[in-house]
Amino acid sequence: MAKSNKLKIFNDPIYGFIRIPNTLIFDLIADPYFQRLRRISQMGMSYMVYPGAHHTRFHHALGSMHLMQKAIQVLQFKGVEITQAEEEGLLCAILLHDIGHGPFSHAMEHSIVEGVSHEHISLLFMQELDKKFEGKLKVALEIFKGAYPKKFLNQLVSSQLDMDRLDYLKRDSFYTGVAEGNTNAERLITMLNVIEGNLVVEEKGIYSVEKFIMARRFMYWQVYLHKTGVVAEQLLIGILKRARTLLKNGTPLECSSPLLFFLTNKIDVDNFNTEKLHLFSKLDDVDIVSAIKRWQDSSDFVLSELCKMVINRKLLHIKIKNKPISIEKREKYFNYFKEKHGLTNEETKYFVFSGKLSNKAYDKEKQHINILKKNGKINDVVKESDHLNLNTLSETVTKYYMCFPKEGV
């Protein structure tokens, strides 16, 4: 039997050719756990707003790995010691950093399993793959968990200026067409260095860092927290919640067997074992879309209407304000819809509800983005920047929303 060439390349619309550096990376990409990411959308329901936003977690993982290769080359050129084992560990860690995402990514993170983050599931997947690959992911696991002695290795994978963020901002900007989110990832990577074991950005890269933080702000309010995307995600969460309630009450619903398992069982951190992980790996966007298409014809008014709204993009109306929306205003829409359709309070909550959105472009209380000055001093980017808005961008911005049917009052 002929041996396959494992040193292949991918043609990426953002970076051009992405090279697979070694056979371990090739085999990880070829694994069914990783191939599943081809069927997990990167941006959840954002395609409802931006028709081009159909790229997947698979795209993003490869892009992040490509940027990590660039960062390793830059740091090694500057005399930073990164051993071959550490290099391989970094590439494996960034490649697998999002492998734990469920269907539609963040949109349903706590709808399939309760209180289990995608980071935790990613770690479980990595541990299983480590067994499968006979301990070859040991360094990658330590880096991913932040347990490796060299701090900067973890910072390249998970920090406020990591390869994950550099890729998703550039990639999501490209696929949505929102030019304000585009960042010069290559320029930022060229400016990276390591001082006293921590990742820093050389002073001449400060304007690129400012642009990066501003791009994050633009992308969150224009894309990730866009009001139409928020409504679509809330409807998706509502659909699964309603399906779970109906199944609990004995109403039969057709869907894939893995989805049915998670809807009829309470799965949390305590009982999320290897068997559940394998079942979780069989879930992707296809399961959810297929179920929603079937449930449009449900005899249950709530489930049927929610599914039709998502499939036909006839979404709820949404109002976003800087202050909490009054209870009186919400009750007006609530009571009207309840009486018109003869629903209970619990059923009406699926169609009239309120919530809040929060965003902080830069968290100066957490791990900083440090600037290395020409005189050797290191300062947080907020202190070094002459950008008047940068300090403001480190404050949490909260907005309040209310969703209700468009049929009026």
Side-chain angles (χ1 to χ4, degrees):
M1 187 175 174
K3 273 190 173 182
S4 66
N5 174 20
K6 295 189 175 185
L7 301 179
K8 293 183 181 293
I9 56 172
F10 288 95
N11 195 348
D12 183 70
I14 312 294
Y15 310 117
F17 292 119
I18 293 178
R19 179 178 58 85
I20 297 179
N22 57 53
T23 56
L24 174 59
I25 295 292
F26 179 94
D27 291 336
L28 285 171
I29 291 171
D31 191 89
Y33 282 165
F34 190 84
Q35 286 294 313
R36 164 183 162 273
L37 296 183
R38 290 182 184 271
R39 305 184 300 278
I40 303 287
S41 59
Q42 170 75 10
M43 295 181 64
M45 302 298 286
S46 292
Y47 70 89
M48 290 273 188
V49 186
Y50 301 100
H54 276 289
H55 54 301
T56 67
R57 289 277 155 189
F58 185 87
H59 289 114
H60 167 56
L62 291 178
S64 300
M65 183 194 71
H66 173 74
L67 293 183
M68 186 65 82
Q69 287 176 291
K70 298 282 185 188
I72 291 167
Q73 288 168 6
V74 165
L75 293 175
Q76 286 177 332
F77 179 77
K78 292 179 181 180
V80 178
E81 186 192 16
I82 300 174
T83 67
Q84 191 174 344
E86 290 166 348
E87 181 175 341
E88 190 169 79
L90 273 172
L91 294 176
C92 292
I94 196 67
L95 182 74
L96 303 174
H97 78 282
D98 271 347
I99 198 170
H101 269 291
F104 289 99
S105 294
H106 293 286
M108 296 166 60
E109 186 159 339
H110 297 287
S111 297
I112 302 289
V113 289
E114 295 183 33
V116 187
S117 68
H118 75 271
E119 291 92 349
H120 181 74
I121 300 173
S122 291
L123 178 59
L124 296 178
F125 270 127
M126 287 177 72
Q127 288 169 341
E128 283 303 302
L129 287 167
D130 186 48
K131 291 176 190 172
K132 190 183 289 189
F133 287 88
E134 299 175 338
K136 290 180 181 176
L137 299 184
K138 183 185 175 186
V139 176
L141 278 163
E142 287 183 16
I143 291 171
F144 184 79
K145 292 187 288 186
Y148 199 77
K150 294 182 180 179
K151 278 187 182 179
F152 76 91
L153 298 181
N154 173 258
Q155 290 163 0
L156 285 166
V157 174
S158 179
S159 67
Q160 292 203 76
L161 188 64
D162 55 31
M163 300 308 108
D164 170 30
R165 293 188 186 196
L166 285 179
D167 179 78
Y168 78 63
L169 283 176
K170 195 170 183 68
R171 189 167 299 277
D172 296 351
S173 167
F174 175 86
Y175 280 99
T176 57
V178 178
E180 292 87 347
N182 191 18
T183 58
N184 193 339
E186 290 83 355
R187 164 80 176 167
L188 274 165
I189 288 170
T190 304
M191 295 297 109
L192 292 178
N193 211 326
V194 174
I195 300 294
E196 295 178 359
N198 287 295
L199 203 62
V200 296
V201 179
E202 292 163 359
E203 189 174 10
K204 55 190 173 183
I206 191 167
Y207 299 119
S208 298
V209 176
E210 290 174 349
K211 171 76 163 55
F212 165 78
I213 294 171
M214 287 297 293
R216 257 194 113 225
R217 179 184 181 275
F218 283 130
M219 287 297 284
Y220 266 89
W221 290 119
Q222 269 186 262
V223 180
Y224 307 131
L225 298 178
H226 188 285
K227 63 179 186 176
T228 304
V230 169
V231 175
E233 289 191 359
Q234 290 303 313
L235 287 174
L236 202 55
I237 291 166
I239 286 168
L240 285 202
K241 183 182 174 185
R242 185 62 178 175
R244 200 185 289 273
T245 300
L246 292 172
L247 287 165
K248 189 177 179 181
N249 294 335
T251 304
L253 290 175
E254 288 188 5
C255 61
S256 69
S257 54
L259 180 57
L260 186 63
F261 174 83
F262 283 99
L263 289 176
T264 52
N265 292 278
K266 183 181 178 181
I267 308 300
D268 54 27
V269 176
D270 295 328
N271 63 4
F272 199 92
N273 55 24
T274 305
E275 182 189 353
K276 310 286 194 320
L277 183 72
H278 186 64
L279 265 175
F280 184 84
S281 75
K282 294 180 180 296
L283 281 175
D284 54 49
D285 293 6
V286 178
D287 296 82
I288 306 301
V289 174
S290 175
I292 292 173
K293 288 177 72 177
R294 289 184 183 187
W295 297 342
Q296 285 180 102
D297 302 318
S298 170
S299 57
D300 179 72
F301 173 82
V302 174
L303 184 61
S304 174
E305 286 300 305
L306 293 176
C307 290
K308 286 174 185 173
M309 285 178 181
V310 170
I311 291 294
N312 301 316
R313 202 189 177 279
K314 301 289 185 184
L315 308 174
L316 295 171
H317 193 57
I318 182 171
K319 283 187 177 177
I320 296 184
K321 303 284 184 184
N322 292 324
K323 294 180 181 179
I325 295 166
S326 69
I327 295 172
E328 294 78 16
K329 199 164 191 177
R330 184 166 60 85
E331 284 185 344
K332 182 175 74 169
Y333 289 101
F334 190 93
N335 293 329
Y336 172 82
F337 194 78
K338 175 188 171 183
E339 289 168 19
K340 181 179 178 181
H341 295 282
L343 304 175
T344 64
N345 284 345
E346 199 57 41
E347 290 169 334
T348 311
K349 285 177 185 175
Y350 286 95
F351 300 96
V352 183
F353 52 87
S354 55
K356 64 180 180 179
L357 309 168
S358 295
N359 175 239
K360 185 188 286 189
Y362 177 67
D363 192 344
K364 61 183 179 182
E365 305 303 321
K366 284 181 75 178
Q367 195 179 62
H368 300 169
I369 296 177
N370 285 321
I371 304 298
L372 172 65
K373 300 185 72 177
K374 289 175 183 174
N375 63 9
K377 289 185 179 179
I378 296 172
N379 262 331
D380 184 274
V381 65
V382 172
K383 292 179 181 177
E384 285 304 312
S385 172
D386 57 8
H387 197 299
L388 295 175
N389 290 329
L390 213 55
N391 206 42
T392 308
L393 291 177
S394 64
E395 302 297 325
T396 301
V397 177
T398 303
K399 296 184 180 182
Y400 302 85
Y401 68 86
M402 181 177 75
C403 297
F404 54 93
K406 291 180 178 178
E407 54 194 61
V409 177

